[in-house]
Amino acid sequence: MQKLEFFDETFDPDRTATYELSIQVSLGGFSLCIKDLTRNLFIGLASCAFNHPTVSPNDWPEQVAFITNTYKWVSKSFKRVIFSYESKGFALIPENLFVPNKAKTLLSLTAQIQDLDEVRYNSSTNDSVSIFSIPSLLVTSWFKVQSDSKIVAFCDSIIQLHLLSIKNEKDRSITLSLANDFGVVIASHGKKIQHCGTLDIKSIDDITYHLLNLCKGLGYSPSNTVISILGQYDKKAGLEVLIERFFKNISPNSTIVQSDFSYLIEKYKIRYANLFSQSLCV
């Protein structure tokens, strides 16, 4: 994980009560961004690796302490805090089929749940529910820092961004959000989501094949499908060149257009789209 740290000159650690904090934690480190809600402006972005990778659930208290020691103002009061864990352990279920006491059973059909994970769920804006697992000790440790945090699934922000980016109800659309070693894939016809899943990042050929196979399964024509590629991947430029051979409608949409960005972090909108878009999950 590359270390980044950009804070606008207007960022004031003594004004956190007017800010929104979004944070994403992975086994290897964390990323966070700060939004000034008064000005609807993102004014901070940081990403940092832990001193050592997380190898056991018992490591989470130490990792959370590392976050608060790196940025002591993280423990201060914020207007709102949105927290997520980078994981493939999620599923999207139609709201009319969702039964709360069956959440763990439903998730176990599509994802592996670790012994010390807890299962959570959130309602979405498209009549669906996202179910996800997250290390219980991570949640407990983080709540000691920010007890009023909203915990969201790693897919939630991309779902919201995907739905907002749709301009025509007749369009078939795919959003691919790349993480460290996997990608989140959302596909929809208009605003009706028809696929929400993940793919392992092995090569640009594998990713392209997966997207083409998804189109075939859903009955989409690649030449008429709008596709957006977000996130960070060291071969992203080559991936885009390859995908353009099959998909003719590449969307320039990068992140939430309802918000502004400080000049310091403007160029990171696409790379950290998942993180910035957590602001939509409130």
Side-chain angles (χ1 to χ4, degrees):
M1 176 179 285
Q2 182 181 1
K3 182 174 177 59
L4 291 175
E5 186 177 86
F6 298 101
F7 292 98
D8 188 270
E9 58 269 18
T10 62
F11 171 70
D12 184 349
D14 293 324
R15 292 186 61 244
T16 57
T18 65
Y19 296 160
E20 172 188 271
L21 168 65
S22 288
I23 183 164
Q24 291 182 339
V25 175
S26 69
L27 293 175
F30 72 95
S31 299
L32 62 80
C33 65
I34 301 292
K35 183 178 181 181
D36 184 337
L37 296 174
T38 305
R39 295 182 292 161
N40 196 34
L41 177 72
F42 285 100
I43 58 173
L45 170 67
S47 182
C48 185
F50 294 134
N51 284 332
H52 59 81
T54 309
V55 296
S56 162
N58 293 325
D59 291 338
W60 284 119
E62 180 184 346
Q63 307 295 42
V64 171
F66 176 84
I67 296 172
T68 56
N69 287 333
T70 303
Y71 299 108
K72 297 189 182 302
W73 44 261
V74 164
S75 301
K76 292 190 173 185
S77 174
F78 284 80
K79 183 72 172 180
R80 56 183 181 235
V81 179
I82 308 140
F83 183 95
S84 71
Y85 171 60
E86 184 180 298
S87 167
K88 295 185 285 186
F90 61 81
L92 196 66
I93 306 294
E95 196 168 39
N96 60 349
L97 299 178
F98 177 67
V99 180
N101 62 6
K102 298 292 186 181
K104 186 173 183 177
T105 301
L106 288 169
L107 181 60
S108 66
L109 296 175
T110 60
Q112 184 179 4
I113 304 173
Q114 301 300 322
D115 291 340
L116 298 180
D117 282 3
E118 60 183 61
V119 174
R120 291 175 164 262
Y121 55 86
N122 292 318
S123 294
S124 184
T125 56
N126 65 326
D127 299 322
S128 62
V129 176
S130 61
I131 311 173
F132 60 101
S133 62
I134 183 171
S136 184
L137 197 51
L138 170 59
V139 175
T140 302
S141 301
W142 179 253
F143 275 164
K144 290 179 181 179
V145 180
Q146 293 289 347
S147 59
D148 292 329
S149 300
K150 180 173 183 179
I151 311 293
V152 299
F154 190 65
C155 65
D156 283 350
S157 59
I158 290 301
I159 290 173
Q160 299 304 320
L161 177 59
H162 176 91
L163 293 173
L164 276 177
S165 69
I166 294 169
K167 299 178 176 61
N168 189 326
E169 288 293 334
K170 295 182 180 180
D171 282 346
R172 271 77 168 175
S173 305
I174 294 176
T175 297
L176 169 61
S177 177
L178 302 163
N180 285 317
D181 58 359
F182 71 96
V184 178
V185 186
I186 312 295
S188 71
H189 182 186
K191 292 195 175 184
K192 182 180 179 181
I193 292 180
Q194 297 180 308
H195 176 83
C196 174
T198 64
L199 61 82
D200 292 329
I201 297 177
K202 296 179 179 178
S203 70
I204 61 175
D205 292 328
D206 286 338
I207 295 171
T208 305
Y209 175 80
H210 181 100
L211 296 175
L212 290 170
N213 198 44
L214 176 62
C215 285
K216 183 178 180 179
L218 294 174
Y220 293 4
S221 169
S223 61
N224 294 322
T225 299
V226 180
I227 186 164
S228 299
I229 306 173
L230 311 170
Q232 48 189 330
Y233 177 45
D234 57 0
K235 298 179 181 178
K236 187 165 179 282
L239 173 63
E240 290 174 340
V241 170
L242 180 58
I243 283 179
E244 285 177 354
R245 291 172 51 189
F246 305 95
F247 295 87
K248 306 304 180 185
N249 196 346
I250 311 297
S251 172
N253 179 58
S254 58
T255 191
I256 44 179
V257 297
Q258 292 83 356
S259 300
D260 296 317
F261 291 78
S262 164
Y263 70 96
L264 290 173
I265 58 179
E266 176 80 22
K267 70 177 183 178
Y268 294 100
K269 289 195 303 183
I270 295 178
R271 181 175 177 181
Y272 289 93
N274 192 313
L275 174 64
F276 289 125
S277 297
Q278 282 191 183
S279 186
L280 300 171
C281 302
V282 294

